[in-house]
Amino acid sequence: MTSSEETPSFRLAHVPGATPAKWVRIWNERLPDVPLTLVAVPAAEAAALLRDGGADAGLLRLPTDRTDLSAIPLYTETTVVVVPKDHAVAAVEEVSAEDLADDIVLHPLDDTLAWERLPGRPAIERPATTADAVELVAAGVGLLVVPQSLARLHHRRDLTYRTVTDAPQSRVALSWPEDETTDLVEDFIGIVRGRTVNSTRGRPKAPPQPKDERPGTGGARRKPAAGGASGKSAGRGTGGATGRAGGRTTGKSPRGGSGSGGAKGGRRGKPRRRS
């Protein structure tokens, strides 16, 4: 990272169609003191930007040149064909590449799909960008096959899209320079993988306390006071024994027990005759 330790920051590149909003929100909640800057980059230039240090990590599309880059595939997109709403394709839920054989299918220079064989008939010229190709579809020049997120990004009211079942698919991955796996990169990896803030593979903000340790006690259990211990001992021992012993002695004496208390009780028990 090029940021200073006094003011750390994180730069995240993203290609068109990639939507990092959810992860950025979680980042801002967990690391409010580390600003995250989004860097928009064309799909074809994303890998070079990371290698040149233009961003700390990036959301890019596979396949791409991954020389000196680490990458974690995140998800695979559905491929769709963008058509005018009054086109015959709009009447069905999905089509195959063969169903487009009679149509002109535009192939922009920034296409992200790895075609072995392009569908449909080629246009006279290749549009420079996907955005330009969408404008041509709206003008009735041809159709366009793209990842679904790009169809949504360039949505128009007069256009719609349908799934192409056998077209190549685009995978979105989180990538970063192999030699620059910093703590902040690890933090972002944890976020996109759904780890909690205290995950063992993340960087917990505070060490968890042992279950039997209470704040302010240092984990030590409080010992009973000496007075309390003697009182309990006395209650169970001397006092209790005396009470039980006394109860047995005094209880038996009135009935003629052998104790001295019983003998005295016998002499006092005979009434005197009154004269």
Side-chain angles (χ1 to χ4, degrees):
M1 293 178 59
T2 59
S3 301
S4 64
E5 294 181 358
E6 292 77 10
T7 55
S9 63
F10 188 73
R11 297 162 299 162
L12 179 68
H14 64 100
V15 298
T19 53
K22 174 184 176 181
W23 299 321
V24 172
R25 175 179 55 79
I26 297 174
W27 176 280
N28 291 334
E29 291 172 355
R30 293 187 184 179
L31 298 118
D33 297 330
V34 182
L36 187 153
T37 303
L38 291 175
V39 182
V41 58
E45 301 174 12
L49 178 75
L50 293 177
R51 279 192 291 268
D52 294 341
D56 301 296
L59 301 174
L60 48 73
R61 293 187 182 276
L62 302 177
T64 189
D65 180 11
R66 290 172 53 182
T67 304
D68 300 326
L69 297 179
S70 297
I72 300 175
L74 300 179
Y75 57 90
T76 301
E77 286 200 61
T78 299
T79 303
V80 300
V81 57
V82 179
V83 301
K85 284 190 173 180
D86 58 356
H87 194 278
V89 168
V92 298
E93 292 296 325
E94 58 185 28
V95 296
S96 66
E98 185 178 354
D99 294 329
L100 307 177
D102 295 332
D103 290 285
I104 293 176
V105 178
L106 303 167
H107 186 212
L109 295 175
D110 63 354
D111 184 22
T112 60
L113 299 174
W115 292 100
E116 292 184 2
R117 179 182 177 185
L118 293 171
R121 297 184 293 123
I124 297 176
E125 294 183 3
R126 294 183 63 181
T129 66
T130 298
D132 293 336
V134 170
E135 294 296 328
L136 293 175
V137 173
V141 174
L143 311 182
L144 175 65
V145 180
V146 290
Q148 184 172 326
S149 66
L150 292 180
R152 290 174 175 173
L153 178 64
H154 299 289
H155 171 72
R156 290 175 52 115
R157 293 184 178 180
D158 52 347
L159 301 180
T160 187
Y161 57 84
R162 295 292 183 267
T163 300
V164 182
T165 56
D166 54 353
Q169 295 177 312
S170 175
R171 292 182 297 160
V172 175
L174 173 64
S175 185
W176 66 95
E178 289 180 351
D179 298 333
E180 296 293 334
T181 309
T182 64
D183 287 341
L184 292 179
V185 170
E186 289 286 1
D187 284 332
F188 196 79
I189 292 172
I191 289 173
V192 299
R193 284 188 163 178
R195 299 177 193 155
T196 62
V197 67
N198 288 323
S199 169
T200 55
R201 295 190 64 184
R203 292 195 299 148
K205 302 306 174 187
Q209 294 182 346
K211 292 182 180 180
D212 59 348
E213 182 175 344
R214 297 179 181 178
T217 63
R221 295 182 178 179
R222 181 177 297 177
K223 296 182 180 179
S230 351
K232 290 182 180 178
S233 299
R236 290 193 299 267
T238 308
T242 304
R244 289 194 295 270
R248 288 195 297 271
T249 302
T250 57
K252 292 182 180 179
S253 297
R255 295 193 295 271
S258 57
S260 58
K264 291 180 181 179
R267 287 194 298 270
R268 291 196 301 267
K270 185 175 180 181
R272 296 181 181 183
R273 181 175 296 180
R274 299 177 62 184
S275 55

